[in-house]
Amino acid sequence: MTPRAPAMAPDDRRAAIIASTVPLLRDKGRAVSTKEIARAAGVAEGTIFRVFESKDELVEACVHDAFQTEVLVARLLEIDVALPLRERLAAAVSTMQGYLRDIFSLMSVLQASGRPMRPPHKGQDPRREQANTAVDQAFVALVGADADQLRLPATEVVNYLRMLTLSSVHPMLHHGDSTPQDLVDVILEGALRRPEPGGKK
């Protein structure tokens, strides 16, 4: 018998059910049952349908939640700004890679289960643009005073770094061996060999 869950505010209950469902979706896709979801969330199965009209609505809510960036931004802002620039950016890239891998794993299993995951469009959720801006601002904040070492504006450097980070974990691009340090080095130092001290180029 499922233990009775403590009383929660409606928004908290909704968030708790979503948080319990996302790992199950990654594991089983849309084949996961509401009974399994209820067990994981510690609620009665009927509670799910008092919060969501259907399992499809719950899945859509999970997809929407997967694209939210609040936790990502919070983790970026927790990175120690006293670290050297390369270490700060590598930590940020590693955090971003984890966020993106979670999204791609969910997309992959839902695609395999017959109904692909549809990310929210900008027109459907105007907050998404604000969320992307918040991520960029968190990266720029990590550059901080070291921006004066860059030959490009920090915002442009961050944009290139985020593009490389996305490509490094995209399942269709097969760049799984790229480490955060590799990506940061390419952005900060380029790909050309450096001459040995006193040697030829």
Side-chain angles (χ1 to χ4, degrees):
M1 182 176 179
T2 302
R4 184 177 178 83
M8 299 176 85
D11 286 348
D12 292 338
R13 171 71 67 214
R14 178 183 176 87
I17 292 173
I18 290 172
S20 298
T21 304
V22 169
L24 294 174
L25 285 175
R26 289 198 181 101
D27 184 41
K28 297 188 173 186
R30 292 180 185 270
V32 66
S33 69
T34 52
K35 184 176 292 186
E36 291 171 311
I37 293 170
R39 188 183 304 117
V43 299
E45 192 171 0
T47 300
I48 294 173
F49 296 106
R50 287 195 289 273
V51 179
F52 301 94
E53 291 186 3
S54 64
K55 189 175 83 171
D56 282 346
E57 184 181 297
L58 170 55
V59 171
E60 291 301 317
C62 290
V63 170
H64 183 275
D65 188 75
F67 280 88
Q68 299 308 298
T69 59
E70 288 86 350
V71 173
L72 170 63
V73 170
R75 289 175 179 167
L76 291 173
L77 295 177
E78 288 172 357
I79 295 171
D80 187 358
V81 295
L83 292 170
L85 177 62
R86 280 180 174 77
E87 292 183 31
R88 296 198 303 271
L89 292 181
V93 167
S94 178
T95 300
M96 188 76 177
Q97 284 178 325
Y99 166 78
L100 292 169
R101 285 191 182 104
D102 284 346
I103 290 177
F104 287 133
S105 68
L106 188 56
M107 291 175 68
S108 178
V109 72
L110 290 180
Q111 179 77 36
S113 65
R115 289 179 60 186
M117 171 179 173
R118 294 175 301 174
H121 298 297
K122 289 182 180 180
Q124 294 175 333
D125 188 358
R127 294 171 300 177
R128 194 173 172 206
E129 193 71 27
Q130 296 175 351
N132 288 334
T133 299
V135 174
D136 286 342
Q137 289 174 340
F139 267 87
V140 170
L142 284 171
V143 175
D146 287 319
D148 61 6
Q149 299 183 43
L150 305 174
R151 68 178 182 83
L152 296 174
T155 51
E156 289 187 35
V157 172
V158 163
N159 189 46
Y160 287 127
L161 184 58
R162 286 190 61 189
M163 285 191 290
L164 274 183
T165 302
L166 173 61
S167 67
S168 74
V169 295
H170 197 291
M172 295 182 66
L173 298 179
H174 308 295
H175 290 311
D177 294 334
S178 301
T179 68
Q181 291 77 14
D182 290 337
L183 302 185
V184 171
D185 283 347
V186 167
I187 288 295
L188 294 183
E189 302 292 347
L192 292 176
R193 292 182 182 275
R194 279 167 182 68
E196 295 293 331
K200 297 180 179 179
K201 291 186 178 180

